[in-house]
Amino acid sequence: MKIEFKSEREFDLIAIGRACMDLNAVEYNRPMEETMTFKKYVGGSPANIAIGASKLGLKAGFIGKLADDQHGRFIEQYMRGVGVDTTQMSVDHEGHKTGLAFTEIKSPEECSILMYRDEVADLYLHPSEVSEEYIKKAKVLLVSGTALAKSPSREAVLKAIHLAKKNDVKVIFELDYRPYTWASPEETSVYYTLVADQADVVVGTRDEFDIMENLKDGSNEATVSHLFKHSPELIVIKHGVEGSYAYTKSGETFRGHVYLTKVLKTFGAGDSYASAFLYALISGKDIETALKYGSASAAIVVSKHSSSEAMPTVEEIEQLIAERSKEAVTNQ
Amino acid sequence: MKIEFKSEREFDLIAIGRACMDLNAVEYNRPMEETMTFKKYVGGSPANIAIGASKLGLKAGFIGKLADDQHGRFIEQYMRGVGVDTTQMSVDHEGHKTGLAFTEIKSPEECSILMYRDEVADLYLHPSEVSEEYIKKAKVLLVSGTALAKSPSREAVLKAIHLAKKNDVKVIFELDYRPYTWASPEETSVYYTLVADQADVVVGTRDEFDIMENLKDGSNEATVSHLFKHSPELIVIKHGVEGSYAYTKSGETFRGHVYLTKVLKTFGAGDSYASAFLYALISGKDIETALKYGSASAAIVVSKHSSSEAMPTVEEIEQLIAERSKEAVTNQ
Amino acid sequence: MKIEFKSEREFDLIAIGRACMDLNAVEYNRPMEETMTFKKYVGGSPANIAIGASKLGLKAGFIGKLADDQHGRFIEQYMRGVGVDTTQMSVDHEGHKTGLAFTEIKSPEECSILMYRDEVADLYLHPSEVSEEYIKKAKVLLVSGTALAKSPSREAVLKAIHLAKKNDVKVIFELDYRPYTWASPEETSVYYTLVADQADVVVGTRDEFDIMENLKDGSNEATVSHLFKHSPELIVIKHGVEGSYAYTKSGETFRGHVYLTKVLKTFGAGDSYASAFLYALISGKDIETALKYGSASAAIVVSKHSSSEAMPTVEEIEQLIAERSKEAVTNQ
Amino acid sequence: MKIEFKSEREFDLIAIGRACMDLNAVEYNRPMEETMTFKKYVGGSPANIAIGASKLGLKAGFIGKLADDQHGRFIEQYMRGVGVDTTQMSVDHEGHKTGLAFTEIKSPEECSILMYRDEVADLYLHPSEVSEEYIKKAKVLLVSGTALAKSPSREAVLKAIHLAKKNDVKVIFELDYRPYTWASPEETSVYYTLVADQADVVVGTRDEFDIMENLKDGSNEATVSHLFKHSPELIVIKHGVEGSYAYTKSGETFRGHVYLTKVLKTFGAGDSYASAFLYALISGKDIETALKYGSASAAIVVSKHSSSEAMPTVEEIEQLIAERSKEAVTNQ
């Protein structure tokens, strides 16, 4: 099965949601209390995916809201610099700040993030700032789950999805669950279900699908059985080092394997996976190949210091795949 | 065309949303500043509809949240007294109060309402308080637009709709737009669109459909053309004294006329209309007859002092229709 | 001892704080659930005291904030009607509502109040709305403790006290403690202590002084010993039916007795006490006489339906005192 | 004139208020957008003063609230490491974060700070966490104005001042005005006036005293004339490069001059000034000498990268004073 995209559209992908700032530990392998210096990078799942897609050669745009300060301007300049269209990134004028993520790298297995997400600018994207003219120029609208966590960003995203569906733009829903900001697990479940039912492609970890279903230890079979009654035609469920499964409405299942590399830290893996997987799909590759692209991209990013700046090129991805050609994808 | 309901269900109708209190001017025909005494009644659109439906002989239930005080207890006792099942009306334990509506009756043409809706108990209904077991016992889930105005009531309603659709319960969406509480017109439009697209029947005034579409002077044709691409099979658009139009997905249009009576005040008209219209539909009457029932019920309530206590019986409605048999409904 | 007031001032008394609305049960001796009709009156401790003082012949003014609706206009009209200067009652333009108090009169011993105090207009009085020109026209600034419960009303009152002291206006602090609105007992204690230390006269029940001191079963001796190290020169501590004690900085103690009457309800007692006590002080009467005036006024109000409209005249008070001349005040 | 301190107290100085984190630009002389690396330091005016005082040999304690995360733990560890007693620094358990200050050093004249102060942990210090037993062990309670900006920190500070005065602890009020967080200029003025009236020593820039008085271009004469009617016995008003003035209740005025040095950045000057000035006063030096200590300490800190870590020793201060002995303090 292949997903069909409207080939004549100006933008391959438009992402909506948060663009914020990572402050990554310069000194590794120690608790954050002892980390004295931090290096800044653009961060936030949909921003990372847009950056990653742009570095892979896709034409990407972004709908978001930025703080009216030095950090906000840095984000816009960086994203524009790597080729992302930032004309729909509006500036907050009510004093909201850029979201921050301080990263701690104790060891490859012990990474944690200290988040600043209270009243951040990205959650103040307003539905009136979402333009139908813009959205209908895209093949794909990439929606990040965290943007649904709070009003008015929540309504901006719901409006964007409505406009995407009205204009035959494929909706890709990256669950991207972050526990802070949400009022309750029930609230998350309500909006995740609502959006997943309307999406064309849903991507997340097994844990994130459990959050969507507000249960523990859910099964992939139940998940896809529910979702295929609604809009989705492709569902990707990631199981960490065990790899990922892609299910199609037409009944196929594909398994993707992880490429083992020297891991520096685990964050950034999901975003790099998503950008390369989408690149492959939009470029017309089949799902097996797209799974390989996703895994290769993730393997490259976890071996580097940042999430955004480390996003690989197509050459790097293809080289890794070639090198590891024995790690296969099996059509089960 | 007829709407088909699951005939074996225990409840004809379960309403969800606000049950609050009206304080109606005892002294009429004067500004509220000079009104010294107020009489209390149960109020709130979905509560009125449940009460009206119960008085018409339907088995009605209610999902809502009540203040933990004398006003909350009055509402529960009154609704139970007229036959509404109140087992799913939970009690707030965080100090939220009952919503209030002080009514001013200067003249039949000049009625106004002074609302207390800040932090009221009904808006704190939580999604965890919405039970699938309960909803699947109903033929109809009646959703009131105001319950979408704020979290967590908003998510409770979205969850209830999800469960209704999953269990073949018809969703009736009464737009019931009240400008207070909502953060912005865009926000209202996002949720009204989202819910209307999923509903089976949508009922509102032309002004309320304009709110849903976030435009001015919208046309019925555009409205129904959009909605019939989604779930709705019946749409009722009310145009005040000019009567109402009912549109079916199968392409029919019916016009309902207003029964002119001695008007004391205008509020309560919409709720009494809805309860009698739904009564007729659920009882298996055709749409022309349902429109007559709605109009007759509204005509009776606007001539009386309250919205809830004035809800008519089937005999009163049928007597009025018989008396006014010349005021016709025309299939256009 | 006598309190000395600046005799040339235009206003005998300016009160600051809440003016709101009581909705008193028309049908008595039943739980509120069964009370169907409510009669409205102006309410709120400082408003009642200003109204009471005005009816006793004092020139009273009021600094407060009113809702921009029919209830707000009623309050202003009523207060102006009984002679209170309302030129410093500003109107809220942010949609805040009038505070409400529904009263339940089950029996003379069982009265309760259901309060609407969330986001009410009176708590939005802003310090910029407090005028030094106005305050310096007064002999007395009457401060009600509830106005300290929330910002910006809290800061408006603190500013008014600062201006009063700067301009030799006597500050009377009526503790008027209401548990709702305050964030914590510690918060109440901090502001009550701060204001009591700066006041000239402090009036409250023993329970209210315990709240101020954040302890249980406090002693009058400890209370006055602390306060007399600061500004206060007169402290009145009320002990319900056991009467009240007035302590002077110069070391005198006076006891006031309660006049027993047929009680309809207990609320309104404190406000009527304060207005008549202050009337007597400002009129140059001695403290023993002022205690009698307070008790007589309270006795009259608790036998009537409202708090504000029932405020007695000087003749009524003096007649009651004459009739009950055996109920004495003793200088201990 | 000399300020008399209770010599037998365990702590020379206890500071109350915010302890947060500075993230100083590692790369200088460029806009923050282009600064890629930040170095962390403990920051916040009262924390800096406590650290500075401790490095000068005073026994210092701190009352504050820390985030329950790596940044909070870093602050506690650092302060404890330089000798500050941290036993009264409580840990927030409601998810509030450490306040942050990103600094931009474009040039010595153009320094700006990007603040994260929304819902930060230090503003959640609760009055119940302020212990009389602790405060009464101190010679001096140092109060920072910013801690008054929001409840419940505001009430914690007001309680601390009440306890300090009750126990003969000298209250030093460092105005430390930061425009964010405050709701309005009137609000700031109300609390600054309230606290300054109760303080023994008030220290601030001329601009900060204007904020306190809610006016523009105020005069030192009017300021000291008002404050000397209340508790203050010493007032220090700083005029930037023109130096500072110290006024005593007994009528003396002293002028302090600035020591010119190679300036790297301007922030930190006020805190280093305050810690050395207080050190000198507490050590029994006269006011002229204390002004020199303050100026010398400020001169040292502005030439270095941080505010806290750069706090000088007594030797460094005395060496600078000796070198610059021609820059005099004149008794006017």
Side-chain angles (χ1 to χ4, degrees):
Chain A
M1 199 204 83
K2 270 195 186 179
I3 311 277
E4 299 298 328
F5 302 97
K6 294 272 165 188
S7 59
E8 79 291 359
R9 300 281 169 92
E10 177 181 347
F11 288 99
D12 292 302
L13 173 146
I14 290 175
I16 184 168
R18 74 190 194 283
C20 46
M21 209 164 95
D22 290 346
L23 283 155
N24 288 2
V26 171
E27 302 94 9
Y28 309 154
N29 301 324
R30 61 183 72 180
M32 199 188 299
E33 288 86 336
E34 298 168 21
T35 301
M36 299 311 289
T37 330
F38 296 90
K39 186 154 180 222
K40 77 180 184 190
Y41 297 98
V42 171
S45 174
N48 286 341
I49 294 173
I51 291 167
S54 190
K55 290 180 80 170
L56 291 168
L58 296 184
K59 178 69 193 144
F62 202 86
I63 304 171
K65 196 148 202 172
L66 294 171
D68 186 16
D69 60 22
Q70 294 96 328
H71 291 349
R73 287 187 289 277
F74 161 67
I75 292 169
E76 192 279 329
Q77 289 164 13
Y78 183 87
M79 290 181 71
R80 188 156 37 88
V82 298
V84 177
D85 179 79
T86 60
T87 57
Q88 303 293 309
M89 299 184 81
S90 60
V91 174
D92 172 86
H93 294 296
E94 295 174 333
H96 299 114
K97 296 285 183 289
T98 303
L100 302 178
F102 288 88
T103 61
E104 173 180 61
I105 308 176
K106 282 193 195 170
S107 72
E109 294 75 36
E110 281 184 289
C111 298
S112 73
I113 300 185
L114 197 173
M115 281 281 178
Y116 278 69
R117 292 288 305 157
D118 267 344
E119 303 288 312
V120 289
D122 59 81
L123 292 172
Y124 284 88
L125 179 68
H126 193 268
S128 64
E129 294 167 319
V130 173
S131 151
E132 180 165 8
E133 287 311 299
Y134 193 66
I135 285 176
K136 73 183 192 195
K137 291 181 185 166
K139 294 178 187 164
V140 160
L141 176 72
L142 177 96
V143 168
S144 147
T146 295
L148 292 162
K150 221 166 174 184
S151 298
S153 165
R154 177 183 288 166
E155 289 79 38
V157 171
L158 292 174
K159 181 180 171 188
I161 293 167
H162 177 79
L163 295 173
K165 293 184 73 69
K166 184 177 162 195
N167 290 286
D168 291 321
V169 178
K170 293 286 177 191
V171 174
I172 316 288
F173 183 30
E174 230 292 352
L175 298 183
D176 178 36
Y177 174 69
R178 304 282 174 165
Y180 35 78
T181 317
W182 288 99
S184 69
E186 285 83 6
E187 188 189 52
T188 314
S189 178
V190 163
Y191 290 105
Y192 271 32
T193 302
L194 197 66
V195 171
D197 284 0
Q198 297 181 72
D200 298 285
V201 180
V202 185
V203 180
T205 65
R206 182 60 246 169
D207 287 348
E208 289 174 330
F209 280 98
D210 284 358
I211 292 289
M212 180 178 94
E213 297 166 15
N214 201 19
L215 49 70
K216 292 196 173 182
D217 302 321
S219 79
N220 291 1
E221 290 61 39
T223 299
V224 303
S225 154
H226 167 79
L227 286 176
F228 285 144
K229 289 184 197 137
H230 297 82
S231 290
E233 36 182 336
L234 175 62
I235 299 163
V236 179
I237 306 181
K238 296 181 282 184
H239 289 255
V241 291
E242 295 171 39
S244 53
Y245 295 87
Y247 302 88
T248 70
K249 201 169 215 154
S250 53
E252 296 164 297
T253 302
F254 302 95
R255 180 159 183 197
H257 294 275
V258 165
Y259 293 104
L260 298 176
T261 45
K262 191 170 179 312
V263 176
L264 170 62
K265 42 74 181 160
T266 53
F267 35 81
D271 303 336
S272 51
Y273 182 100
S275 59
F277 180 79
L278 289 176
Y279 163 76
L281 284 190
I282 293 169
S283 308
K285 303 194 190 304
D286 57 30
I287 292 169
E288 292 97 321
T289 309
L291 289 169
K292 285 187 190 170
Y293 271 66
S295 297
S297 179
I300 293 166
V301 165
V302 296
S303 70
K304 299 198 175 169
H305 189 236
S306 79
S307 299
S308 51
E309 209 159 294
M311 288 289 180
T313 61
V314 174
E315 292 67 39
E316 292 177 274
I317 288 174
E318 295 184 344
Q319 187 183 337
L320 182 69
I321 293 173
E323 287 168 13
R324 306 289 183 90
S325 55
K326 44 256 141 182
E327 276 140 322
V329 172
T330 22
N331 188 338
Q332 303 190 310
Chain B
M1 199 205 81
K2 270 193 186 181
I3 310 278
E4 299 298 327
F5 302 96
K6 294 273 167 187
S7 58
E8 78 292 356
R9 300 282 168 93
E10 178 181 344
F11 289 99
D12 292 302
L13 173 147
I14 289 175
I16 185 168
R18 76 192 193 281
C20 47
M21 209 165 95
D22 290 347
L23 284 156
N24 288 2
V26 171
E27 302 95 10
Y28 308 155
N29 300 322
R30 64 184 68 181
M32 199 188 297
E33 287 86 337
E34 298 169 21
T35 300
M36 300 310 290
T37 330
F38 296 90
K39 188 156 178 219
K40 78 179 185 191
Y41 298 98
V42 171
S45 174
N48 286 342
I49 294 173
I51 290 167
S54 190
K55 290 180 79 170
L56 291 167
L58 295 184
K59 179 66 194 147
F62 201 85
I63 303 170
K65 194 147 203 175
L66 294 170
D68 186 16
D69 61 22
Q70 294 97 328
H71 291 350
R73 289 188 289 275
F74 161 68
I75 292 169
E76 191 279 331
Q77 289 165 14
Y78 183 87
M79 291 181 72
R80 187 157 35 90
V82 299
V84 177
D85 179 78
T86 60
T87 57
Q88 302 292 309
M89 299 184 80
S90 59
V91 174
D92 172 86
H93 295 296
E94 294 174 335
H96 299 113
K97 295 285 183 288
T98 303
L100 302 178
F102 289 87
T103 61
E104 173 180 60
I105 308 176
K106 281 193 194 168
S107 73
E109 292 77 35
E110 281 183 288
C111 298
S112 72
I113 299 184
L114 196 172
M115 281 281 178
Y116 278 69
R117 294 287 304 157
D118 267 346
E119 303 289 312
V120 289
D122 60 80
L123 292 171
Y124 284 88
L125 180 69
H126 193 268
S128 64
E129 295 168 318
V130 173
S131 150
E132 180 165 9
E133 287 310 299
Y134 193 66
I135 285 175
K136 74 184 192 194
K137 292 181 185 166
K139 293 178 188 165
V140 161
L141 175 73
L142 178 96
V143 168
S144 148
T146 295
L148 293 161
K150 222 168 174 181
S151 298
S153 167
R154 177 182 288 166
E155 289 80 37
V157 171
L158 293 173
K159 180 181 172 188
I161 293 167
H162 177 79
L163 295 173
K165 294 184 74 67
K166 183 177 163 196
N167 290 284
D168 291 321
V169 179
K170 293 286 176 191
V171 175
I172 317 287
F173 184 29
E174 230 292 351
L175 298 184
D176 179 37
Y177 175 67
R178 306 280 174 166
Y180 33 79
T181 317
W182 288 99
S184 70
E186 284 83 6
E187 188 190 50
T188 314
S189 178
V190 163
Y191 289 104
Y192 271 32
T193 302
L194 196 66
V195 171
D197 285 0
Q198 297 182 72
D200 298 284
V201 180
V202 185
V203 180
T205 66
R206 182 61 244 168
D207 286 351
E208 289 174 329
F209 280 98
D210 285 358
I211 292 290
M212 179 178 95
E213 296 165 16
N214 202 18
L215 49 67
K216 293 195 174 183
D217 303 322
S219 80
N220 291 0
E221 289 62 38
T223 299
V224 303
S225 154
H226 167 79
L227 287 176
F228 285 143
K229 286 184 200 139
H230 296 83
S231 291
E233 35 182 338
L234 176 62
I235 298 162
V236 179
I237 307 181
K238 295 181 283 181
H239 288 255
V241 292
E242 294 171 39
S244 53
Y245 296 86
Y247 301 88
T248 70
K249 199 168 217 155
S250 53
E252 296 164 298
T253 303
F254 303 94
R255 180 162 182 194
H257 294 276
V258 165
Y259 294 104
L260 298 175
T261 46
K262 191 170 180 313
V263 176
L264 170 61
K265 44 71 182 159
T266 51
F267 36 79
D271 302 336
S272 50
Y273 183 100
S275 60
F277 180 79
L278 289 176
Y279 162 76
L281 283 189
I282 293 169
S283 307
K285 302 193 192 305
D286 58 28
I287 291 169
E288 293 97 320
T289 308
L291 288 169
K292 284 187 191 172
Y293 269 66
S295 296
S297 178
I300 292 166
V301 165
V302 296
S303 71
K304 298 195 175 170
H305 190 237
S306 78
S307 300
S308 52
E309 208 159 295
M311 287 288 179
T313 60
V314 174
E315 294 67 39
E316 290 177 276
I317 289 173
E318 293 185 344
Q319 190 183 335
L320 181 70
I321 293 173
E323 286 168 14
R324 306 290 183 87
S325 56
K326 43 264 148 182
E327 276 141 322
V329 171
T330 23
N331 187 337
Q332 303 188 309
Chain C
M1 199 204 83
K2 269 192 186 183
I3 310 278
E4 299 298 328
F5 301 97
K6 294 273 166 187
S7 58
E8 79 292 357
R9 299 281 168 93
E10 178 181 344
F11 289 99
D12 292 303
L13 173 146
I14 289 175
I16 185 167
R18 77 190 192 281
C20 47
M21 208 164 94
D22 290 347
L23 283 156
N24 288 1
V26 170
E27 302 94 10
Y28 308 154
N29 300 323
R30 63 184 68 182
M32 199 189 295
E33 286 87 336
E34 299 169 20
T35 300
M36 299 310 290
T37 330
F38 296 90
K39 189 158 179 217
K40 79 180 184 189
Y41 297 98
V42 171
S45 175
N48 286 341
I49 294 173
I51 290 167
S54 190
K55 290 181 79 171
L56 291 167
L58 295 184
K59 180 67 194 145
F62 201 86
I63 303 171
K65 195 148 203 172
L66 294 170
D68 186 16
D69 61 22
Q70 294 97 329
H71 291 351
R73 289 187 289 276
F74 161 67
I75 292 168
E76 191 279 331
Q77 289 165 14
Y78 182 86
M79 290 181 71
R80 188 157 36 89
V82 299
V84 177
D85 180 79
T86 60
T87 57
Q88 302 292 309
M89 298 184 81
S90 58
V91 174
D92 173 85
H93 294 296
E94 295 174 334
H96 299 113
K97 295 285 183 290
T98 303
L100 301 178
F102 288 87
T103 61
E104 172 180 61
I105 308 177
K106 281 193 194 169
S107 73
E109 293 76 35
E110 282 184 288
C111 298
S112 73
I113 299 184
L114 197 172
M115 281 282 178
Y116 278 69
R117 295 286 305 157
D118 266 346
E119 302 290 311
V120 289
D122 60 79
L123 292 172
Y124 285 87
L125 179 69
H126 193 268
S128 64
E129 295 168 317
V130 173
S131 150
E132 180 165 10
E133 286 312 299
Y134 193 65
I135 284 175
K136 75 184 192 192
K137 291 180 185 167
K139 293 177 187 164
V140 160
L141 176 73
L142 178 95
V143 168
S144 148
T146 296
L148 292 162
K150 223 168 173 182
S151 298
S153 166
R154 178 182 288 167
E155 289 81 37
V157 171
L158 293 173
K159 180 181 173 189
I161 292 167
H162 177 78
L163 295 173
K165 295 185 73 70
K166 183 177 163 194
N167 290 285
D168 291 321
V169 179
K170 293 286 178 190
V171 175
I172 316 287
F173 183 29
E174 229 294 350
L175 298 185
D176 179 37
Y177 175 67
R178 306 279 175 167
Y180 33 80
T181 317
W182 288 98
S184 69
E186 285 82 8
E187 188 190 50
T188 314
S189 178
V190 163
Y191 289 104
Y192 270 33
T193 302
L194 196 67
V195 170
D197 285 0
Q198 296 182 72
D200 298 285
V201 181
V202 185
V203 180
T205 65
R206 182 61 245 169
D207 286 349
E208 289 174 329
F209 280 99
D210 284 358
I211 293 290
M212 179 178 96
E213 297 166 16
N214 201 18
L215 47 71
K216 292 196 173 183
D217 302 321
S219 79
N220 291 1
E221 289 62 38
T223 300
V224 303
S225 154
H226 167 78
L227 286 177
F228 284 144
K229 287 184 199 138
H230 296 84
S231 290
E233 36 183 337
L234 175 63
I235 298 162
V236 179
I237 306 180
K238 295 182 284 183
H239 289 256
V241 291
E242 295 170 38
S244 53
Y245 295 86
Y247 301 88
T248 69
K249 200 169 216 155
S250 54
E252 295 163 299
T253 303
F254 303 94
R255 180 161 183 195
H257 294 276
V258 165
Y259 294 104
L260 299 175
T261 46
K262 192 171 179 313
V263 176
L264 171 61
K265 44 73 185 158
T266 51
F267 35 80
D271 302 336
S272 51
Y273 182 100
S275 59
F277 180 78
L278 289 176
Y279 163 77
L281 285 189
I282 293 169
S283 306
K285 302 194 192 303
D286 58 29
I287 291 169
E288 292 97 320
T289 308
L291 288 169
K292 285 187 189 172
Y293 269 65
S295 296
S297 179
I300 292 166
V301 165
V302 295
S303 71
K304 299 196 175 170
H305 189 237
S306 77
S307 299
S308 52
E309 207 159 296
M311 287 287 180
T313 60
V314 174
E315 292 68 39
E316 290 177 275
I317 288 174
E318 294 185 343
Q319 189 182 335
L320 181 69
I321 293 174
E323 286 169 14
R324 305 290 182 88
S325 55
K326 42 260 147 184
E327 276 141 323
V329 171
T330 23
N331 188 338
Q332 304 189 310
Chain D
M1 201 204 82
K2 270 193 187 182
I3 310 277
E4 299 298 328
F5 302 96
K6 293 273 165 187
S7 58
E8 79 291 0
R9 299 282 169 93
E10 177 181 346
F11 288 99
D12 291 302
L13 174 146
I14 290 175
I16 184 168
R18 77 190 191 282
C20 45
M21 208 164 96
D22 290 347
L23 283 155
N24 288 1
V26 170
E27 303 93 11
Y28 308 156
N29 300 323
R30 62 183 71 180
M32 199 187 299
E33 287 86 337
E34 298 168 22
T35 300
M36 299 311 289
T37 330
F38 297 90
K39 185 154 181 224
K40 77 179 184 190
Y41 298 97
V42 172
S45 174
N48 286 341
I49 295 173
I51 291 167
S54 190
K55 290 180 79 170
L56 291 167
L58 296 184
K59 177 70 193 144
F62 201 85
I63 304 171
K65 195 149 202 170
L66 293 171
D68 186 16
D69 61 21
Q70 294 95 329
H71 291 350
R73 288 188 288 276
F74 161 68
I75 293 169
E76 193 277 332
Q77 290 164 14
Y78 183 86
M79 290 181 71
R80 186 155 39 87
V82 298
V84 177
D85 179 80
T86 60
T87 57
Q88 302 292 308
M89 298 185 82
S90 58
V91 174
D92 173 84
H93 294 295
E94 296 174 333
H96 299 114
K97 295 286 183 290
T98 304
L100 302 178
F102 288 87
T103 60
E104 173 181 59
I105 308 175
K106 282 193 195 169
S107 72
E109 293 76 35
E110 281 185 289
C111 298
S112 73
I113 300 185
L114 198 172
M115 280 284 178
Y116 278 70
R117 294 287 305 158
D118 267 344
E119 303 288 313
V120 288
D122 60 80
L123 291 171
Y124 284 87
L125 180 68
H126 193 268
S128 64
E129 295 167 318
V130 173
S131 150
E132 179 165 9
E133 286 312 299
Y134 193 66
I135 285 177
K136 74 184 191 193
K137 292 181 185 165
K139 292 178 187 164
V140 160
L141 175 73
L142 178 95
V143 169
S144 147
T146 295
L148 292 162
K150 223 167 174 184
S151 299
S153 165
R154 179 184 287 167
E155 288 80 36
V157 172
L158 292 173
K159 179 180 172 188
I161 293 167
H162 177 78
L163 295 173
K165 295 185 73 70
K166 183 177 162 196
N167 291 286
D168 292 321
V169 178
K170 293 286 178 192
V171 175
I172 316 287
F173 183 29
E174 229 293 350
L175 297 184
D176 178 36
Y177 174 69
R178 305 282 174 165
Y180 34 79
T181 318
W182 289 99
S184 69
E186 285 83 7
E187 188 189 51
T188 314
S189 178
V190 163
Y191 290 104
Y192 271 32
T193 302
L194 197 68
V195 170
D197 285 0
Q198 297 181 71
D200 297 284
V201 180
V202 186
V203 179
T205 65
R206 181 62 244 168
D207 287 349
E208 289 174 329
F209 281 97
D210 284 358
I211 292 290
M212 179 178 96
E213 297 167 15
N214 201 19
L215 48 69
K216 292 194 174 186
D217 303 322
S219 79
N220 291 1
E221 289 63 38
T223 299
V224 303
S225 153
H226 167 78
L227 286 177
F228 284 144
K229 287 184 196 137
H230 297 82
S231 290
E233 36 182 336
L234 175 62
I235 299 162
V236 179
I237 306 180
K238 296 181 282 184
H239 289 255
V241 292
E242 294 170 40
S244 54
Y245 295 86
Y247 301 88
T248 69
K249 200 168 215 154
S250 54
E252 295 164 298
T253 302
F254 303 94
R255 180 158 183 198
H257 294 276
V258 165
Y259 294 104
L260 298 177
T261 46
K262 191 169 179 315
V263 176
L264 169 62
K265 42 75 182 158
T266 52
F267 35 79
D271 303 336
S272 51
Y273 182 100
S275 59
F277 181 79
L278 289 175
Y279 162 76
L281 284 190
I282 293 169
S283 307
K285 303 196 190 303
D286 59 28
I287 292 170
E288 292 97 319
T289 308
L291 288 169
K292 284 187 190 171
Y293 270 66
S295 297
S297 178
I300 293 166
V301 166
V302 296
S303 70
K304 300 196 174 169
H305 189 237
S306 78
S307 299
S308 50
E309 209 159 294
M311 289 288 180
T313 60
V314 174
E315 293 65 39
E316 291 177 275
I317 288 174
E318 293 184 345
Q319 187 183 337
L320 181 69
I321 293 174
E323 286 169 14
R324 305 292 182 88
S325 56
K326 43 259 144 177
E327 276 140 322
V329 172
T330 21
N331 187 339
Q332 303 190 311

